[in-house]
């Protein structure tokens, strides 16, 4: 049926069918009245009034017929015109004027779209469907039939609608992009890339599909030709001022890749492993990225460079991250057709020689800046995808793996800094940390491990350069370190971990010894000392001391027992082991450890601590002397700490022996054992060695013994020998003997002090002897009185007894003097023994005889206190004998005095004469006195 409607009513009826989505009626109406309902008018009516929620399949066929001009009248379809039939013509015209139909063109409409009404309609319809209904999924159905007729429509479908549709509806519907189709097209490239990939790899389970996102989102997005017209200008070719053919959008993708590598390296590693670059795109079969061969090479090279850059910025120093970096290097080699890399486990096991493959231009301090700056610049030789750069990266990756696997976390960039900056201190610190960690964490019984560790450390120095040429310059992360330094540190580690056989086979038995013999000796000695210093038990059969002993004996050819270093260590071990036999605490709450002995400023003083903390230990004097000698042999005792002139001490062992003896004597006196102290004084200090080797200990302790006074706690003597049975007299005689020793070995300046003590002891002895004699006389008198009273015609028995004693004494002396003629030698000896008398007796005789013995007193005391020549001393004695009034004292201790009583011969006189006789010049040498320099003719003390 043919309708006879006015043009205004036809337009209103077409609008009515569009609003009602009655596409069939609209198609019939448009076919019947094509002169009024032109193509552009129908498209504008559809664009303005067709519901956006209508499925594309309902009207896409109608659009195709309009585009092809094949609309035909369907005679079987009745058109209902009732909605406009009754409408007045004037009203119809007014309504048409008020329709406000949308134009097909829009702002910034591309030229290729402006001349094509169908393309314009499709673009605007797509925007409206997305904006008004959000039915992005309907657009492919709408646009696909027209994709071949319009390049713009194809670009819109592939580069914008497809990425958005996949991103919001298929890949990550839980977090869609909140941008409309038109707004997304206007976004800057960086924002668009970050939005498309904002959920890529965000979850652990998404890592296997990172490549899918790049392939399905970025691949289509890069199809837009406009993006390739906007080139990156910040990074240019090194040989040209022109751009390198990389579009700004693609550059943003590369930057996103390196950014992910620095923040979430797993995303970057999976992306490079799963994506082959721009050519690897999923366009749903709707098209392809059309690039020239030159452009394809450039974009592929840029992608490989970004991959290498990503390896350098991996922030994590884990085995997994390092292995991921290696997979990046292998992928780059594969993409660019370079020398293939072996599998990672094989590379780690074999440690291939890589130094010769690395260009000399790379190993430079200037190159180090490229690891942090301009990683994507085509002028960066570290990220240039060629064999040299890949080999350098492979070497860094293996180095980082070896360090990390050995407990020293190291990133790729850190390894690069070590190799390029070539800072010797930094390299030495890193190597020391590595070997120290192996020292304390390596297996103690696995030689294979240690042999491998040595090979790895040496490889880190030169990256296998020595395998090719011994004269090659090292290029590794330890390139500035001498091989000898590393070998020394490795040897220390082997010895520390008791790998003695392996160390001996490598450093002593090998035909080509890695270390010089002197260096080997010093290293073994230093390691042994380290084991010693770390020991906590002074017993040499345990712990650190045992290890020290084993280390020093591990190289019998290099350090035989006769070697000074071996002897030194043996002496140290013996000395330390001796200390383990005693209780010893140097600081409260801290037990003694061996290192204290080695670092102690005065190790001999430790013996003093032992004597303090171990009662009766002073009785082991010889053991302590041996201990001190071992300290000297071990180099612990340099000189006597009490000496102000170290050069005057040519015999440290003798000094040590005297000092230890003095310590034991002092300890004995402290523990009230005078008998032992006395024994040590007369047997250890009264010797030629003590006279020859002066020290500041012996005379002081001898003086201390001479000052000692018996107490209730004093140890009782076990036997008296030939001494007096009176304990007090015997004790005083022993004190005087100690003082005699002190007089002989003391410095000249101290003699006066000793003489004062000596005089007081003599006076005490005189008193004790006089008391003893009085007791004996009283006992004799009582006996005589008893016998006299029983005799007939008794008489004064007291006077008679006294006369008998005096007569007996005189006859005894006369008989001794007349026994036999004396030889010249005996005469000289007798003169030496009788000349000096005790000081108290001299003073008493001088007062009694009116100064008859003054000359003798002055000679002896002056010789002791002030010195002089032997002739002066001799003359003093002789003059005193000739001066009148006095009588020459006999060797037996008797004397004749006009006013004094007769005295009995005593052992005390013999001890006194022996001590004093040694100081008499001229004949003193016969009884062991010092030479002429020791005697003097100074003024005596009266």
């Amino acid at each position: 049926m043919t309708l006879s409607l006015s043009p205004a009513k036809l337009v209103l009826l077409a609008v009515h069918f569009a609003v009602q989505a009655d596409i069939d009626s609209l198609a019939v109406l448009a076919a019947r009245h094509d002169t009024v309902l032109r193509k552009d008018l129908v498209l504008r009516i559809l664009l303005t009034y067709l519901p956006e929620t209508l499925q594309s399949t309902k009207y896409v066929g109608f659009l195709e017929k309009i585009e092809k001009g094949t609309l035909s009248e369907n005679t079987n379809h009745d058109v209902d015109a009732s909605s406009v039939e009754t409408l007045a013509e004037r009203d119809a015209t007014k309504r048409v004027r008020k329709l406000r139909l949308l134009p097909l063109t829009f702002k910034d409409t591309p030229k290729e779209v402006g001349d094509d009404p169908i393309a314009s309609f499709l673009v605007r319809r797509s925007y409206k469907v997305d904006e008004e209904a959000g039915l992005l999924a309907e657009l492919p159905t709408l646009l696909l039939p027209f994709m071949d007729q319009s390049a713009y429509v194809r670009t819109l479908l592939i580069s914008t609608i497809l990425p958005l549709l996949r991103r919001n509806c298929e890949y990550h519907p839980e977090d869609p992009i909140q941008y409309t189709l038109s707004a997304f097209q206007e976004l800057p490239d960086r924002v668009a890339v970050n939005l498309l990939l904002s959920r890529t790899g965000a979850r652990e389970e998404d890592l296997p599909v990172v490549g899918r996102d790049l392939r399905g989102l970025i691949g289509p997005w890069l199809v837009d030709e406009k993006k390739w017209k906007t080139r990156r200008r910040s990074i240019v070719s090194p040989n040209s001022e022109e751009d390198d053919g990389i579009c700004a959008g693609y550059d943003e993708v590369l930057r996103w890749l390196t950014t992910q590598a620095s923040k979430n390296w797993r995303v970057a590693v999976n992306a490079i492993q799963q994506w082959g670059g721009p050519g690897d795109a999923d366009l749903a079969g709707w098209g392809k990225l059309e690039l020239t061969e030159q452009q394809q090479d450039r974009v592929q090279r840029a992608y490989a460079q970004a991959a290498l850059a990503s390896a350098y910025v991996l922030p994590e120093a884990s085995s997994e991250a390092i292995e991921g970096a290696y997979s990046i290097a292998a992928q780059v080699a594969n993409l660019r057709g370079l020398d293939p890399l072996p599998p990672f486990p094989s590379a780690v096991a074999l440690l291939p020689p890589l130094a010769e493959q690395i260009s000399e231009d790379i190993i430079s301090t200037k190159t180090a800046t490229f690891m942090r700056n301009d990683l994507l610049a085509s002028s960066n030789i570290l990220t240039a995808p060629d064999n040299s750069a890949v080999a350098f990266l492979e070497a860094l990756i293996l180095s980082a793996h070896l360090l990390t696997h050995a407990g020293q976390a190291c990133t790729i960039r850190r390894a690069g800094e070590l190799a390029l900056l070539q800072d010797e201190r930094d390299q030495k610190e890193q190597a020391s940390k590595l070997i120290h960690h192996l020292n304390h964490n390596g297996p103690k019984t696995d030689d294979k491990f240690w042999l491998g560790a040595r090979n790895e450390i040496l490889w880190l120095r030169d990256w296998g350069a020595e395998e090719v040429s011994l004269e090659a310059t090292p290029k590794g992360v330890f390139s500035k370190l001498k091989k000898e330094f590393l070998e020394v540190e490795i040897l220390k580690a082997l010895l520390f971990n008791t790998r003695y056989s392996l160390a001996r086979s490598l450093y002593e038995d090998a035909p080509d010894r890695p270390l010089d013999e002197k260096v080997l000796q010093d290293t073994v000695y230093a390691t042994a000392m380290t084991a010693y210093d770390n020991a906590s038990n002074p017993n040499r059969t345990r712990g650190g001391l045992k290890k020290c002993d084993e280390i020093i004996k591990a190289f019998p050819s290099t350090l035989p027992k006769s070697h000074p270093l071996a002897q030194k260590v043996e002496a140290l071990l013996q000395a330390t082991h001796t200390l383990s036999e005693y209780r010893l605490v140097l600081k409260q709450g801290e037990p003694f450890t061996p290192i204290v002995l080695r670092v102690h400023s005065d190790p001999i003083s430790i013996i003093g601590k032992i004597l303090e903390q171990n009662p009766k230990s002073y009785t082991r004097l010889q053991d302590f002397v041996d201990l001190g000698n071992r300290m000297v042999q071990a180099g612990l005792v340099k000189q006597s700490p009490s000496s102000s002139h170290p050069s005057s001490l040519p015999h440290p062992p003798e000094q040590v022996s005297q000092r230890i003896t003095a310590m034991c004597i002092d300890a004995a006196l402290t523990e009230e054992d005078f008998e032992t102290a006395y024994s040590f004084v007369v047997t250890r200090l009264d010797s030629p060695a003590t006279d020859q080797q002066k020290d500041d200990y012996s005379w002081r302790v001898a003086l201390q013994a001479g000052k000692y006074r018996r107490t209730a706690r004093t140890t009782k003597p076990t036997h008296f020998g030939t001494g007096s049975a009176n304990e007090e007299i015997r004790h005083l005689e022993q004190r005087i003997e100690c003082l005699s020793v002190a007089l002989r070995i003391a410095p000249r300046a101290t003699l006066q002090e000793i003489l004062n003590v000596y005089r007081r002891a003599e006076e005490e002895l005189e008193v004790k002897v006089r008391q003893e004699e009085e007791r004996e006389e009283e006992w004799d008198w009582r006996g005589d009185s008893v016998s006299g009273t029983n005799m007939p015609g008794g008489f004064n028995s007291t006077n008679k007894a006294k006369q008998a004693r005096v007569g007996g004494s005189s006859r005894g002396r006369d008989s001794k003097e007349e026994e036999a003629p004396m030889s010249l030698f005996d005469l000289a000896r007798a003169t030496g023994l009788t000349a000096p008398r005790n000081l108290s007796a001299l003073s008493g005789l001088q007062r009694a005889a009116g100064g008859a013995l003054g000359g003798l007193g002055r000679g002896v005391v002056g010789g002791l206190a002030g010195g002089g020549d032997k002739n002066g001393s001799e003359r003093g004695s002789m003059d005193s004998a000739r001066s009148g009034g006095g009588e020459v004292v006999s060797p037996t201790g008797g004397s004749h005095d006009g006013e004094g009583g007769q005295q009995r011969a005593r052992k005390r006189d013999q001890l006194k004469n022996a001590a004093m006789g040694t100081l008499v010049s001229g004949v003193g040498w016969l009884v062991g006195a010092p030479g002429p320099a020791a005697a003097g003719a100074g003024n005596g003390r009266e």
Side-chain angles (χ1 to χ4, degrees):
M1 180 180 67
T2 303
L3 295 175
S4 58
L5 297 174
S6 65
K9 290 184 178 182
L10 287 175
V11 171
L12 291 177
L13 186 59
V15 169
H16 174 73
F17 289 151
V19 171
Q20 297 298 321
D22 188 355
I23 301 300
D24 293 338
S25 298
L26 178 61
V28 171
L29 184 65
R32 291 176 181 177
H33 305 281
D34 57 344
T35 56
V36 176
L37 298 176
R38 302 181 306 276
K39 179 193 295 188
D40 58 330
L41 179 59
V42 173
L43 293 176
R44 292 181 66 189
I45 293 173
L46 290 174
L47 180 64
T48 306
Y49 293 105
L50 186 67
E52 287 80 10
T53 57
L54 183 64
Q55 295 180 358
S56 299
T57 56
K58 300 291 186 181
Y59 62 95
V60 69
F62 175 58
L63 294 176
E64 288 182 294
K65 291 179 181 180
I66 293 176
E67 193 272 334
K68 295 177 181 180
T70 59
L71 288 173
S72 60
E73 181 180 353
N74 187 353
T75 58
N76 297 325
H77 185 80
D78 293 333
V79 176
D80 183 10
S82 59
S83 59
V84 296
E85 284 179 337
T86 59
L87 187 65
E89 191 66 29
R90 179 182 292 180
D91 293 337
T93 302
K94 289 182 179 179
R95 289 186 179 184
V96 169
R97 291 175 180 175
K98 295 180 179 180
L99 286 179
R100 301 287 190 270
L101 296 178
L102 296 174
L104 296 178
T105 59
F106 53 91
K107 184 180 180 180
D108 300 328
T109 302
K111 292 181 180 180
E112 62 270 24
V113 175
D115 299 334
D116 186 350
I118 288 294
S120 297
F121 169 81
L122 292 174
V123 171
R124 295 213 66 180
R125 175 67 180 176
S126 297
Y127 291 159
K128 282 179 62 66
V129 169
D130 178 57
E131 292 173 1
E132 302 296 335
L135 296 175
L136 193 64
E138 290 294 323
L139 299 184
T141 305
L142 173 65
L143 300 179
L144 277 175
F146 307 96
M147 188 174 62
D148 294 334
Q149 282 73 32
S150 173
Y152 186 84
V153 171
R154 182 178 64 251
T155 300
L156 175 66
L157 177 62
I158 297 175
S159 69
T160 305
I161 296 176
L162 182 59
L164 273 177
L165 184 62
R166 284 174 170 171
R167 169 66 175 76
N168 291 347
C169 304
E170 184 179 350
Y171 293 172
H172 306 289
E174 74 284 356
D175 185 20
I177 295 176
Q178 301 300 323
Y179 281 90
T180 64
L181 188 62
S182 59
F184 181 78
Q185 279 186 302
E186 300 298 324
L187 291 176
D189 291 338
R190 176 174 297 179
V191 177
V193 169
N194 288 328
L195 282 173
L196 288 174
L197 301 176
S198 60
R199 297 299 300 170
T200 299
R203 298 177 301 179
E204 189 74 22
E205 56 268 24
D206 292 338
L207 290 177
V209 295
V210 171
R212 177 207 65 181
D213 287 11
L214 290 167
R215 193 177 299 107
L217 300 179
I218 298 301
W221 183 78
L222 290 173
V223 169
D224 189 355
E225 293 181 357
K226 291 192 302 181
K227 292 182 173 61
W228 292 94
K229 293 178 181 179
T230 306
R231 306 291 178 82
R232 61 175 183 178
R233 294 286 181 178
S234 58
I235 306 175
V236 299
S237 173
N239 299 321
S240 174
E241 295 182 359
E242 299 178 358
D243 66 84
D244 55 4
I246 305 301
C247 72
Y250 182 53
D251 184 61
E252 292 301 332
V253 175
L254 300 181
R255 294 183 183 278
W256 175 88
L257 187 63
T258 56
T259 301
Q260 290 299 313
S262 63
K263 295 180 178 179
N264 189 351
W265 63 268
R266 288 180 174 84
V267 174
V269 169
N270 280 276
I272 296 170
Q273 289 176 344
Q274 300 170 27
W275 188 46
D280 183 14
D282 179 8
L283 305 182
W286 298 345
K288 64 179 180 179
L289 179 63
E290 296 179 355
L291 297 174
T292 65
E293 185 176 345
Q294 184 180 20
Q295 282 180 318
Q296 289 178 355
D297 181 72
R298 286 178 175 176
V299 297
Q300 198 71 10
R301 179 183 176 86
Y303 175 61
Q305 187 172 16
L308 295 178
S310 299
Y312 279 104
V313 298
L314 293 185
E316 188 173 313
S318 64
S319 298
E320 187 180 0
I322 293 171
E323 188 171 354
Y326 189 85
S327 70
I328 291 176
Q331 179 74 350
V332 170
N334 182 46
L335 290 174
R336 298 298 296 168
L338 306 176
D339 296 337
L341 272 63
F344 184 67
S346 300
V348 172
L350 297 176
L351 295 178
L354 300 172
E356 63 175 350
Q357 303 177 36
I358 301 172
S359 171
E360 294 292 340
D361 296 335
I362 290 182
I363 306 298
S364 170
T365 55
K366 296 180 180 179
T367 312
T369 59
F370 283 124
M371 287 194 301
R372 296 183 178 274
N373 304 313
D374 300 331
L375 285 170
L376 297 179
S378 56
S379 59
N380 191 327
I381 61 175
L382 295 182
T383 57
D386 53 34
N387 282 318
S388 179
V390 172
F392 179 70
L393 178 59
E394 180 185 3
L396 294 183
I397 292 172
L398 293 178
S399 299
H401 170 76
L402 295 179
L403 291 171
T404 302
H405 184 68
Q408 298 301 302
C410 180
T411 62
I412 310 298
R413 177 177 288 178
R414 169 60 177 162
E417 291 174 346
L418 288 171
L420 296 179
L421 295 178
Q422 301 180 30
D423 187 332
E424 182 177 356
R425 176 191 290 181
D426 197 13
Q427 291 184 3
K428 180 175 289 188
E429 181 181 359
Q430 187 68 53
S432 299
K433 288 181 179 179
L434 168 64
I435 298 174
H436 177 77
H437 187 272
L438 292 175
N439 242 350
H440 294 82
N441 297 277
K444 305 292 184 181
T445 59
D446 189 356
D447 282 354
K448 184 178 180 181
F449 168 84
W450 288 105
L451 192 59
R454 175 177 179 265
N455 293 335
E456 290 173 357
I457 293 171
L458 296 180
W459 184 88
L460 288 171
R461 175 178 176 267
D462 57 17
W463 287 339
E466 285 195 2
E467 296 182 19
V468 180
S469 173
L470 295 176
E471 299 179 356
T473 302
K475 296 180 180 179
V477 294
F478 298 153
S479 59
K480 283 298 180 180
L481 303 181
K482 293 182 179 180
K483 185 179 180 182
E484 179 183 283
F485 168 78
L486 295 177
E487 292 283 13
V488 166
E489 296 301 315
I490 294 169
L491 173 58
K492 290 179 180 179
L494 293 177
L495 296 178
F496 182 84
N497 288 275
T498 67
R499 299 295 86 215
Y500 307 126
S501 298
L502 178 60
R504 185 165 54 250
S505 65
L506 291 174
Y507 296 98
E508 186 176 69
D509 300 338
D512 298 328
R513 290 189 174 187
L515 295 175
D516 180 73
E517 184 175 8
K518 179 64 168 59
V519 175
L520 180 58
Q521 291 173 349
D522 293 343
T523 303
V524 173
Y525 174 75
T527 309
M529 289 299 95
T530 301
Y532 177 92
D533 293 342
N534 292 332
S536 57
N537 191 333
N539 191 318
R540 69 177 299 174
T541 62
R542 298 178 182 176
L545 263 63
K546 180 182 179 182
K547 180 181 289 186
C548 174
D549 193 18
E550 293 172 347
I551 290 174
I552 209 68
K553 295 176 181 178
F555 295 84
S557 300
T558 305
L559 279 175
K561 293 182 179 180
S562 58
H563 194 279
L565 290 179
Q567 294 178 344
K568 188 175 181 179
V569 174
E570 179 61 24
L572 178 63
L573 293 175
Q574 291 180 0
T576 311
H577 185 75
T578 301
L579 295 177
S580 69
E581 301 174 3
Y582 301 95
R583 179 184 180 275
L584 179 58
V585 178
L586 299 183
K587 291 184 179 180
Q588 186 175 5
E590 296 182 11
F592 171 78
T593 54
I595 191 176
V596 174
L597 176 62
R598 230 167 67 85
V599 303
H600 205 287
S601 59
D602 182 17
I604 300 299
S605 65
I606 295 177
I607 298 177
K609 294 289 185 180
I610 294 176
L611 294 171
E612 292 176 5
Q613 300 172 23
N614 297 265
K616 301 297 181 180
S617 57
Y618 57 83
T619 58
R620 304 180 64 176
L621 171 60
Q622 188 57 47
D623 292 344
F624 290 128
V625 171
D626 294 340
L627 172 59
N629 290 335
R630 293 189 187 104
M631 291 181 180
V632 173
Q633 295 170 11
L636 304 179
V637 181
K638 306 302 181 188
Q639 64 184 48
S640 174
S642 65
S643 174
S644 59
H645 301 287
S647 60
S648 66
L649 303 173
H651 304 293
E654 288 77 3
Q655 289 285 331
V656 169
S657 176
Q658 294 168 11
R659 184 182 177 192
I660 293 173
T661 301
M663 288 180 174
C664 291
I665 294 173
D666 180 71
L669 294 175
T670 302
E671 296 188 32
E672 307 288 351
D673 189 355
F674 176 78
E675 293 294 327
T676 302
Y678 163 74
S679 173
F680 289 163
V681 169
V682 297
T683 59
R684 293 280 182 167
L685 301 184
D686 191 12
S687 65
T690 308
D691 293 339
Q692 295 173 7
Q693 191 67 36
K694 298 296 184 181
D695 67 272
D696 201 38
Y697 304 105
S698 301
W699 73 269
R700 289 183 183 277
V701 77
L703 175 60
Q704 183 181 353
K707 291 180 177 180
Y708 181 83
R709 294 182 179 276
R710 296 173 67 254
T711 66
R713 297 187 302 274
T714 301
T715 304
K716 301 293 184 180
T718 56
H719 65 282
F720 293 94
T722 59
S724 172
N726 187 313
E727 291 185 5
E728 293 183 353
I729 294 177
R730 182 178 184 276
H731 177 67
L732 286 169
E733 290 173 345
Q734 289 173 327
R735 284 180 56 195
I736 291 174
E737 193 167 355
C738 292
L739 293 171
S740 300
V741 174
L743 283 170
R744 183 162 54 254
I745 63 179
R748 177 175 299 175
T750 63
L751 291 179
Q752 187 62 53
E753 176 188 357
I754 301 173
L755 286 173
N756 291 337
V757 178
Y758 190 98
R759 179 178 56 80
R760 288 192 294 270
E762 279 283 346
E763 291 173 351
E764 293 180 22
L765 181 59
E766 289 286 348
V767 172
K768 296 297 181 182
V769 169
R770 187 176 299 112
Q771 292 174 353
E772 179 71 13
E773 289 177 350
E774 289 176 355
R775 283 194 295 270
E776 290 178 1
E777 290 176 358
E778 181 180 0
W779 179 260
D780 291 344
W781 177 78
R782 288 181 179 177
D784 292 345
S785 299
V786 172
S787 60
T789 55
N790 294 332
M791 292 177 62
F795 55 88
N796 190 342
S797 60
T798 303
N799 292 334
K800 193 172 184 179
K802 288 183 179 180
Q803 292 175 0
R805 285 195 297 272
V806 172
S809 177
S810 300
R811 286 192 300 272
R813 284 196 303 272
D814 293 341
S815 64
K816 290 178 181 177
E817 292 172 359
E818 297 173 359
E819 280 180 356
M822 301 178 68
S823 66
L824 182 60
F825 179 85
D826 294 334
L827 177 61
R829 182 174 180 85
T831 304
L833 290 172
T834 58
R837 301 293 290 168
N838 64 76
L839 300 180
S840 60
L842 287 175
S843 300
L845 289 174
Q846 185 176 13
R847 289 193 300 269
L853 296 179
L856 176 61
R858 285 190 299 271
V860 175
V861 179
L864 291 173
D869 60 14
K870 65 180 182 178
N871 294 330
S873 176
E874 214 169 10
R875 284 194 301 271
S877 299
M878 295 175 64
D879 291 345
S880 65
R882 290 195 300 265
S883 59
E887 180 179 308
V888 178
V889 182
S890 69
T892 60
S895 62
H896 294 285
D897 192 329
E899 297 178 6
Q902 297 179 347
Q903 298 180 357
R904 301 171 58 189
R906 300 186 301 271
K907 183 180 178 182
R908 184 260 306 172
D909 296 318
Q910 296 173 5
L911 294 173
K912 174 192 62 180
N913 291 336
M916 300 299 290
T918 59
L919 301 174
V920 178
S921 302
V923 296
W925 62 273
L926 294 172
V927 289
N939 293 330
R941 176 179 166 275
E942 295 183 357

